[in-house]
């Protein structure tokens, strides 16, 4: 079945400002520095045609940001959002102009969705009938209640007949009669093979209507799969969460933010507290400074106040008065320069391993994610995303003197090729030092104590069929779902990955042990280390071993074993 929506390692962040003047300064000298709130962090999932996905999660987890990305209201900072077809967002007041009447908003939204005047005239009576707001259809939307706005927005969106419908809490404000009417229309869409995202805090509605559930937890995909399994897990979580006191909830949130820091963009800034979703604004409300910080800022700024007024505010006002056309050109140039500058910094600092002078036959990805480009140029389009520990053939190398970047052309199976910065690669040869079975067996006591399974039984399903694993695994299967990497089978904190019905990888998750203590058991140095991202890469005769750590706590998060024979035939995603 072909997919309709695909998210690949998507991150969305919003910059935090202490003062309004900082927003003005950012228009002209935005260098990407500052404090950011990460609404979504490195999320990936795929939704097939005809699926009804219930999006669940706590307030502030990123659900509305997700809906805005699907509908094209906002764009991601990192990763790709692939939407096949038209998408329409239904949220309270979304896409409605408060100064226009209901009738005028029908025409406006129709034009925005690409409808002709004739098509808008044809759907207008249907919209009016479905919305059922009477004479208010001729009144400005600013006079509407939240329920009336929801009615009008829903009526317009369903009659425009989009391929993908995104419903964000739009049914939470209407009466039961209108809710039932909406559910009937949504079932009609379902029968016609439409894809629907249903964002709601009502678990009963989600379970009764949806086929799958996507649990967003503090900007990450916690679970994605069968509606009953995921909804039941979320329901159990809510029971425990609701028992917590205010202080316990705050401690829990802080702990989750620290644990989920894996995969954040590295901007040299700290991640702000997740105080809520910033889905409807491009920036957060100003943060209050501590007293000492305010005093310090005041002392520093007083001597520069007059100079700043002359050098910044007056020129800024002059530039703004030049007109929107001139500003648009400037903004486009600034955005292009910023994108190039940010990515160049990332690529130049991602690896601490020096590249060999001669061209290697193979290279291994030494960072969490590496973008593959059509051409050896930062402005070239991205064609794929590669992950840490993947190994590819090297075809060619080129130097870009303008950007001081060395590019490497990689080749996977079926002739797929692309260019990656050499800073994101480490040369790889088969003759490099390997772990023995005895080295790997030294982890047995850890695996037995934390996961109730021996290291030999943990690794034995690799290269076997998915069916064989499910029939013979002693651990209980907690959940199973599809992802970009294949079928994920979770046995508590042990996760197996099946690709084409064959088990290719197994991961020990939530290890939470001191990095040095565990790695010292292996008694051999890794092939390479990425200190900044806390990544370690080993190999044995049969496996590639990837270790992910939390650089802040110096504790191991994940140890992953990949079957070498299957990994070497891996294709670019």
């Amino acid at each position: 079945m072909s997919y309709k929506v695909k998210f690949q390692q998507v991150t969305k962040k919003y910059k935090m400002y202490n003062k309004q003047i900082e927003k003005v300064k950012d228009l002209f000298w935005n260098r990407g520095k500052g404090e950011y709130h990460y609404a979504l962090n490195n999320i990936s999932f795929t939704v097939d045609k005809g699926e009804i996905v219930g999006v669940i999660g706590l307030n502030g987890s990123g659900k509305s940001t997700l809906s805005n990305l699907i509908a094209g209201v906002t764009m991601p900072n990192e990763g790709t959002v692939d939407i096949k077809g038209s998408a329409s967002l239904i949220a309270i007041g979304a896409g409605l102009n408060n100064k226009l009447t209901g009738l005028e908003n029908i025409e406006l939204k129709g034009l925005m969705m690409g409808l002709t005047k004739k098509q808008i005239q044809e759907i207008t009576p249907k919209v009016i009938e479905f919305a059922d707001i009477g004479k208010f259809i001729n009144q400005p939307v600013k006079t509407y209640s939240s329920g009336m706005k929801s009615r009008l927005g829903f009526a317009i969106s369903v009659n425009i007949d989009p391929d993908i419908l995104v419903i964000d809490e739009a049914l939470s404000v209407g009466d039961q009669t209108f809710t039932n009417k909406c559910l009937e229309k949504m079932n009609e869409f379902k029968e016609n093979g439409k894809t629907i995202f249903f964002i709601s805090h009502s678990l009963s509605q989600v379970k009764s209507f949806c086929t799958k559930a996507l649990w967003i937890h503090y900007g990450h995909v916690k679970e994605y799969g069968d509606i009953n399994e995921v909804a039941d897990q979320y329901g159990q979580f809510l029971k425990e969460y609701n028992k917590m006191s205010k202080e316990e909830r705050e401690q829990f949130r802080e702990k989750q933010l620290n644990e989920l820091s894996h995969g954040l963009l590295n901007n040299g800034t700290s991640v702000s507290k997740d105080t809520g979703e910033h889905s409807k604004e491009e920036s957060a409300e100003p943060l209050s400074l501590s007293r000492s910080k305010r005093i310090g800022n005041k002392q520093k700024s007083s001597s520069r106040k007059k100079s700043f007024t002359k050098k910044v505010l007056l020129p800024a006002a002059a530039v703004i008065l030049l007109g929107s056309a001139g500003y648009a050109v400037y903004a486009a140039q600034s955005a292009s320069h910023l994108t190039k500058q940010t990515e160049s910094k990332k690529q130049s600092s991602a690896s601490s391993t020096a590249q060999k002078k001669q061209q290697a036959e193979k290279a291994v990805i030494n960072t969490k994610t590496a973008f593959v480009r059509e051409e050896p140029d930062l402005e070239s389009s991205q064609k794929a995303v590669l992950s840490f520990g993947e190994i590819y053939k090297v075809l060619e190398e080129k130097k870009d003197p303008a950007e001081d970047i060395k590019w490497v052309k990689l080749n996977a199976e079926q002739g797929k090729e692309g260019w990656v910065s050499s800073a994101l690669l480490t040369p790889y040869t088969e003759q490099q030092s390997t772990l023995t079975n005895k080295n790997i067996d030294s982890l047995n006591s850890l695996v037995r104590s934390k996961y109730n399974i021996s290291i030999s039984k943990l690794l034995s399903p690799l290269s076997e069929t998915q069916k064989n694993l499910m029939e013979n695994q002693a651990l209980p299967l907690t959940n199973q779902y599809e992802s970009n990497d294949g079928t994920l089978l979770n046995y508590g904190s042990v996760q197996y990955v099946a690709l084409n019905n064959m088990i290719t990888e197994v991961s020990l998750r939530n290890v939470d042990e001191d990095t040095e203590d565990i790695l010292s058991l292996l008694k051999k140095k890794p092939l390479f280390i990425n200190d900044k991202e806390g990544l370690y890469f080993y190999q044995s005769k049969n496996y590639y071993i990837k270790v992910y750590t939390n650089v802040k706590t110096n504790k191991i998060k994940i140890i992953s074993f990949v079957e070498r024979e299957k990994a070497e035939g891996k294709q670019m995603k």
Side-chain angles (χ1 to χ4, degrees):
M1 186 179 291
S2 61
Y3 70 85
K4 295 294 287 185
V5 176
K6 179 184 281 189
F7 275 52
Q8 287 187 303
Q9 294 166 315
V10 171
T11 293
K12 181 63 183 177
K13 62 180 180 178
Y14 297 92
K15 191 167 185 179
M16 314 292 278
Y17 293 98
N18 294 321
K19 296 180 180 179
Q20 291 292 336
I21 190 62
E22 292 180 1
K23 294 183 181 181
V24 178
K25 291 166 67 177
D26 248 8
L27 291 174
F28 304 99
W29 299 284
N30 185 3
R31 298 178 181 176
K33 296 181 179 179
E35 190 175 21
Y36 289 82
H37 164 67
Y38 287 76
L40 293 174
N41 291 329
N42 198 30
I43 69 168
S44 299
F45 64 88
T46 302
V47 176
D48 293 330
K49 181 180 179 181
E51 292 282 11
I52 316 298
V53 180
V55 183
I56 53 180
L58 297 174
N59 286 330
S61 288
K63 301 187 299 298
S64 290
T65 301
L66 177 73
S67 67
N68 286 336
L69 286 167
I70 296 170
V73 175
T74 187
M75 301 300 291
N77 297 99
E78 289 286 340
T80 58
V81 178
D82 189 1
I83 307 295
K84 294 188 180 296
S86 59
S88 182
L89 171 64
I90 304 175
I92 300 172
L96 300 179
N97 188 316
N98 282 330
K99 295 181 180 180
L100 301 180
T101 67
L103 275 175
E104 290 168 337
N105 269 286
I106 296 173
E107 182 175 0
L108 174 64
K109 198 160 185 180
L111 291 171
M112 290 172 64
M113 292 297 293
L115 272 62
T116 64
K117 288 273 189 177
K118 184 178 180 181
Q119 290 173 321
I120 294 171
Q121 290 174 357
E122 290 174 354
I123 69 168
T124 296
K126 299 177 184 178
V127 174
I128 295 173
E129 181 183 358
F130 194 96
D132 193 22
I133 57 175
K135 294 181 179 180
F136 276 94
I137 196 69
N138 295 309
Q139 301 303 311
V141 169
K142 64 183 179 182
T143 64
Y144 289 13
S145 66
S146 58
M148 292 168 67
K149 289 179 181 179
S150 179
R151 282 171 172 262
L152 180 60
F154 195 100
I156 295 173
S157 294
V158 296
N159 281 285
I160 287 174
D161 196 30
D163 300 303
I164 302 162
L165 196 62
V166 185
I167 304 166
D168 187 358
E169 295 289 351
L171 305 186
S172 62
V173 294
D175 55 54
Q176 191 59 46
T177 302
F178 181 71
T179 299
N180 292 336
K181 189 177 181 179
C182 292
L183 289 172
E184 288 177 9
K185 190 68 176 178
M186 288 159 63
N187 276 313
E188 183 182 319
F189 270 52
K190 183 178 179 179
E191 291 170 1
N192 291 333
K194 303 285 186 181
T195 303
I196 301 174
F197 287 84
F198 185 44
I199 300 168
S200 176
H201 285 289
S202 172
L203 268 182
S204 59
Q205 280 187 353
V206 170
K207 290 183 73 172
S208 64
F209 179 68
C210 301
T211 57
K212 283 189 174 182
L214 178 64
W215 179 1
I216 303 295
H217 187 66
Y218 293 108
H220 289 254
V221 175
K222 178 77 170 179
E223 296 290 347
Y224 176 47
D226 178 74
I227 179 63
N228 292 316
E229 291 183 7
V230 178
D232 287 345
Q233 290 181 49
Y234 181 63
Q236 289 297 321
F237 164 76
L238 280 182
K239 287 181 181 179
E240 297 299 322
Y241 183 79
N242 290 331
K243 292 178 183 178
M244 297 180 185
S245 64
K246 184 178 180 181
E247 292 75 16
E248 289 173 332
R249 290 184 183 184
E250 181 65 23
Q251 291 174 1
F252 172 78
R253 183 166 64 86
E254 291 292 337
K255 181 180 178 182
Q256 292 295 293
L257 290 175
N258 287 332
E259 289 180 355
L260 296 175
S261 62
H262 175 71
L264 292 180
L265 292 174
N266 183 11
N267 288 81
T269 62
S270 60
V271 180
S272 65
K273 293 182 180 179
D274 192 355
T275 55
E277 296 176 27
H278 299 271
S279 56
K280 298 180 177 61
E281 299 180 6
E282 280 301 311
S283 60
E285 291 295 321
L287 296 175
S288 60
L289 295 171
S290 64
R291 183 174 183 273
S292 60
K293 191 172 181 180
R294 289 200 305 268
I295 294 172
N297 285 346
K298 186 175 181 180
Q299 290 173 340
K300 291 179 182 179
S301 63
S302 60
S303 62
R304 301 194 302 261
K305 193 171 183 180
K306 293 182 180 180
S307 176
F308 178 75
T309 302
K310 290 181 180 180
K311 295 181 179 180
V312 178
L313 295 184
L314 292 179
V319 172
I320 293 172
L321 291 174
L322 289 177
S324 59
Y327 171 71
V329 174
Y330 177 84
Q333 292 173 341
S334 297
S336 175
H337 175 72
L338 175 60
T339 301
K340 185 180 291 185
Q341 184 186 59
T342 303
E343 190 160 357
S344 176
K345 286 182 179 179
K346 178 181 177 182
Q347 290 171 327
S348 63
S349 63
S351 171
S352 61
T353 306
Q355 301 296 310
K356 293 185 177 180
K357 291 184 179 180
Q358 68 274 21
Q359 179 175 312
E361 293 183 358
K362 292 182 180 180
V364 56
I365 307 300
N366 63 25
T367 184
K368 291 173 185 173
T369 56
F371 291 119
V372 181
R373 299 188 178 276
E374 291 279 359
E375 302 294 336
D377 191 318
L378 286 176
E379 295 185 352
S380 176
S381 60
Q382 299 170 5
K383 62 183 298 185
V385 179
L386 308 183
S387 300
F388 168 59
E390 294 177 355
I391 297 174
Y392 296 96
K393 296 177 183 177
V394 174
L395 298 180
E396 186 182 349
E397 294 181 356
K398 277 188 179 181
K399 183 72 179 289
D400 183 351
E403 296 293 340
D404 194 26
I405 295 176
K406 183 179 178 182
W407 293 92
V408 178
K409 191 174 187 179
L410 301 180
N411 171 258
E413 297 299 312
Q414 298 181 349
K416 292 188 178 181
E417 301 174 355
W419 293 89
V420 177
S421 167
S422 64
L424 309 181
L425 303 170
T426 294
Y428 173 82
T429 59
E430 299 288 345
Q431 290 74 32
Q432 289 173 290
S433 62
T434 61
L435 297 176
T436 64
N437 290 337
K438 186 176 180 180
N439 296 136
I440 296 175
D441 288 343
S442 65
L443 299 174
N444 192 53
S445 58
L446 166 73
V447 177
R448 277 189 178 278
S449 62
K450 292 188 73 74
Y451 302 97
N452 198 30
I453 189 173
S454 68
I455 190 73
S456 59
K457 288 186 177 180
L458 174 80
L459 300 176
S460 61
L462 289 173
S463 77
E464 294 185 0
T465 65
Q466 178 179 335
K467 181 180 179 182
N468 189 58
L469 167 70
M470 299 181 73
E471 289 177 350
N472 299 305
Q473 179 57 253
L475 297 173
L477 180 67
T478 52
N479 58 67
Q480 170 186 341
Y481 58 93
E482 298 298 321
S483 76
N484 293 331
D485 296 319
T487 303
L488 304 185
L489 301 105
N490 292 317
Y491 295 84
S493 293
V494 176
Q495 183 181 83
Y496 288 91
V497 179
L499 192 62
N500 299 325
N501 200 38
M502 299 297 294
I503 304 300
T504 60
E505 182 174 356
V506 58
S507 297
L508 299 171
R509 310 180 75 82
N510 305 314
V511 178
D512 197 32
E513 296 287 342
D514 184 80
T515 301
E516 292 182 5
D517 290 346
I518 300 303
L519 296 187
S520 64
L521 296 174
L522 297 175
K523 297 180 180 179
K524 281 199 175 183
K525 293 182 179 180
L527 296 189
F528 69 82
I529 302 172
N530 184 332
D531 288 322
K532 291 187 177 180
E533 297 183 48
L535 306 175
Y536 298 78
F537 185 82
Y538 295 85
Q539 70 174 0
S540 71
K541 181 180 179 181
N542 299 316
Y543 314 112
Y544 296 121
I545 298 100
K546 301 182 290 184
V547 181
Y548 301 81
T549 70
N550 186 324
V551 293
K552 293 181 180 179
T553 62
N554 197 32
K555 290 184 179 293
I556 294 178
K557 298 176 65 175
I558 300 171
I559 301 176
S560 179
F561 298 84
V562 182
E563 210 273 323
R564 282 187 63 163
E565 183 179 348
K566 300 296 181 184
E568 288 168 0
K570 191 176 180 69
Q571 301 175 18
M572 286 188 185
K573 293 177 277 189

